[in-house]
Amino acid sequence: LLLLCVVSSKEEVDSLDSFQVEPVDLNHFFEEDGKIYGYQGLKITVWISCVSFHAYADISFDRSSDGGKGITDLKSSLQNIFADNLIEKKHDFLQTFSTEENYIKNIVSSAEVLQNKSNNSKGHLKEEHVNVEVYQVGGTAVGPLYCRLVPLILLLVDGSNPIDVTDPSWNIYVLVGKGQQDRCNTLLGFAAVYRFHRYPAGVRLRLGQMLIIPPYQRKGYGRNLLEVLNNVAISENAYDLTVEEPVDSLQHVRTCIDVQRLLEFEPIHDSLDPLVELLKHKNLSKNSQPVRCGPSRSIIESVRKSLKINRRQFLQCWEILIYLSLNPIEKYMENYMSVIANRVKADVIGKEPEVSSRKLLIDIPTEFDQEMSFAMFKSEGGEGTRIEKDENEGKLDDQIRQLVDIRMKEIKFVAEKVSS
């Protein structure tokens, strides 16, 4: 059993009130097969200081014995995660809460502070650190700071690997909360952004890693940090800002922010309003061909230039903008579901080919090269020829319906957040 606890004072160590992180997968850190051998009644508690980000491992077990596969070297395995951040003696770990209490304050003392220009920059923060600032950390401070954060990245960000902070194209942004009466600063979270060159003289920003420290999650800090990064992209006139493989929680926050920004972007309504009127007054189920409901190229480009939202993200937001504009949505749900279903189907199988009523092309068993063989059936006198759907096509329809249901849940979730 392994417990991961994040603490902000030495009094919280060994306390039942300490913040325990949800179970994390440590298998790939132990042995080649991800298992621990040679212990009975093993319990590992790792305490991580959110003051200095040092760690201490409290290891206990009933007994150890070599059962034929050896005894796992727990210390070595834990050092694969925490490296030099792991402190061997508990007394020394407890001392860091006083000796390193100004660690974050010193890190940001010479860093550039970035302002959040969003109208919602403070209203969504729920807890004590309403006075928050984002700093762009550079120079010699980047490496040591990031090395202390790597264990949290490995443990809490799925599929993440440490970045090469010696590459000058990486930039680290830290979200810091300031206590009252100039108390120690608290690192609430951070983001790592990579700058790609875009010919001839432009730059594209990609958010590679982002983490809000566990005790401060779900309090609005992630949104605050994302809003600042949007401002950075705009102020630097980057081509766009993308996110590398975002987890669902990050994507939801990102989309909520972008939908609100788009609702305040005046040119969007010139493209959105005519489509909304069409969906309100036309029955799409009676159309023989799908109605084009996507945004125009001009508005896609305008959004990218002004808000730095890339095309893929904008298309996700566009469907939510339609949903919010069809008020009351229940009245127009059938039309709206048709829009989503057509888009999902196009993503899965591409645009439906034009099918002649007189000719059908199907696969047939053959002793020749399957890819080079086909059969064409031609009906007599213009009569339609009906070919039964094969089993795979029926499964595909079920999969499309499932994808539509998943997408509708995502849309409703974001719409409710934005509306509230």
Side-chain angles (χ1 to χ4, degrees):
L1 176 65
L2 185 143
L3 295 177
L4 185 64
C5 302
V6 181
V7 292
S8 58
S9 67
K10 63 180 181 181
E11 288 76 21
E12 293 181 10
V13 179
D14 293 328
S15 170
L16 296 176
D17 297 329
S18 62
F19 187 91
Q20 294 186 4
V21 181
E22 294 181 1
V24 293
D25 182 11
L26 298 178
N27 289 344
H28 56 289
F29 294 107
F30 292 96
E31 305 290 348
E32 294 182 358
D33 57 0
K35 295 181 180 180
I36 299 176
Y37 294 102
Y39 298 93
Q40 289 189 358
L42 175 64
K43 181 179 179 180
I44 305 174
T45 303
V46 177
W47 306 91
I48 298 180
S49 164
C50 58
V51 174
S52 65
F53 297 95
H54 286 108
Y56 169 73
D58 185 5
I59 302 173
S60 62
F61 51 88
D62 295 335
R63 65 188 183 90
S64 65
S65 62
D66 188 343
K69 294 188 177 181
I71 300 176
T72 300
D73 185 349
L74 296 176
K75 181 178 179 181
S76 175
S77 298
L78 290 171
Q79 283 182 331
N80 288 337
I81 308 173
F82 297 98
D84 293 339
N85 297 332
L86 188 64
I87 296 179
E88 187 173 350
K89 296 181 179 180
K90 185 176 182 179
H91 175 268
D92 295 338
F93 173 69
L94 295 177
Q95 287 292 103
T96 62
F97 289 97
S98 57
T99 59
E100 304 248 356
E101 63 178 350
N102 291 317
Y103 175 69
I104 298 300
K105 185 176 182 180
N106 294 335
I107 287 288
V108 302
S109 61
S110 58
E112 177 186 2
V113 62
L114 305 173
Q115 299 298 324
N116 188 343
K117 301 176 183 179
S118 168
N119 294 330
N120 302 310
S121 60
K122 301 296 183 184
H124 58 264
L125 296 180
K126 298 179 181 179
E127 295 287 334
E128 61 274 13
H129 289 291
V130 175
N131 185 19
V132 297
E133 291 179 326
V134 176
Y135 296 86
Q136 181 177 348
V137 180
T140 57
V142 173
L145 172 63
Y146 186 76
C147 286
R148 295 201 185 188
L149 297 174
V150 164
L152 287 175
I153 297 167
L154 295 175
L155 293 171
L156 302 177
V157 182
D158 290 340
S160 284
N161 293 303
I163 64 173
D164 180 10
V165 290
T166 62
D167 184 342
S169 295
W170 280 109
N171 290 265
I172 304 296
Y173 299 86
V174 294
L175 180 71
V176 175
K178 291 191 172 182
Q180 297 178 351
Q181 299 177 353
D182 199 31
R183 291 180 59 191
C184 304
N185 294 350
T186 302
L187 180 65
L188 306 173
F190 84 97
V193 176
Y194 196 83
R195 282 168 163 74
F196 288 91
H197 172 72
R198 186 179 186 278
Y199 181 85
V203 66
R204 305 185 74 171
L205 303 186
R206 176 179 293 175
L207 176 58
Q209 292 178 348
M210 178 173 168
L211 177 67
I212 301 300
I213 309 304
Y216 311 114
Q217 293 176 359
R218 302 185 183 278
K219 297 180 180 181
Y221 298 125
R223 173 175 172 171
N224 189 293
L225 186 51
L226 281 174
E227 287 175 345
V228 171
L229 296 180
N230 286 330
N231 294 337
V232 170
I234 293 172
S235 64
E236 295 184 4
N237 195 26
Y239 182 80
D240 59 16
L241 172 63
T242 61
V243 180
E244 183 177 355
E245 299 180 2
V247 297
D248 289 344
S249 56
L250 173 58
Q251 181 60 29
H252 284 151
V253 175
R254 175 193 182 198
T255 303
C256 286
I257 294 172
D258 287 343
V259 167
Q260 289 183 316
R261 296 167 69 205
L262 288 164
L263 287 171
E264 298 171 1
F265 186 57
E266 192 61 34
I268 204 75
H269 299 285
D270 294 334
S271 296
L272 183 63
D273 292 347
L275 173 59
V276 170
E277 288 301 308
L278 174 66
L279 295 178
K280 283 183 175 181
H281 297 100
K282 190 168 186 175
N283 188 346
L284 298 190
S285 63
K286 296 182 178 180
N287 274 41
S288 58
Q289 296 293 329
V291 175
R292 186 183 183 280
C293 296
S296 65
R297 291 184 179 180
S298 60
I299 193 61
I300 292 174
E301 184 65 9
S302 178
V303 166
R304 184 198 60 75
K305 285 183 176 179
S306 299
L307 302 181
K308 309 307 176 184
I309 300 175
N310 70 315
R311 180 180 182 277
R312 182 176 181 180
Q313 172 68 0
F314 177 46
L315 293 179
Q316 295 285 309
C317 296
W318 179 257
E319 293 178 348
I320 301 171
L321 293 172
I322 298 173
Y323 182 94
L324 290 169
S325 301
L326 288 172
N327 190 20
I329 184 61
E330 294 77 14
K331 184 177 179 180
Y332 311 106
M333 184 58 76
E334 184 177 352
N335 268 358
Y336 184 76
M337 289 287 289
S338 296
V339 171
I340 302 302
N342 288 335
R343 197 270 305 161
V344 170
K345 190 172 185 179
D347 286 349
V348 173
I349 61 176
K351 294 182 179 179
E352 286 192 272
E354 292 290 335
V355 179
S356 169
S357 62
R358 301 187 62 185
K359 297 179 181 180
L360 288 172
L361 189 67
I362 65 171
D363 292 328
I364 61 171
T366 175
E367 61 185 28
F368 303 103
D369 186 349
Q370 185 71 36
E371 294 183 359
M372 300 295 293
S373 305
F374 65 91
M376 182 176 289
F377 291 84
K378 184 176 181 180
S379 59
E380 296 295 333
E383 296 178 359
T385 301
R386 183 176 180 273
I387 303 295
E388 295 290 339
K389 287 185 177 181
D390 65 18
E391 183 179 351
N392 290 333
E393 188 173 352
K395 290 181 178 179
L396 180 61
D397 289 341
D398 291 339
Q399 291 172 354
I400 290 175
R401 281 192 290 269
Q402 290 175 8
L403 291 173
V404 170
D405 290 342
I406 293 172
R407 179 58 183 153
M408 284 302 302
K409 289 180 181 179
E410 294 171 348
I411 291 170
K412 290 178 181 179
F413 177 85
V414 174
E416 289 173 1
K417 289 290 185 180
V418 172
S419 298
S420 63

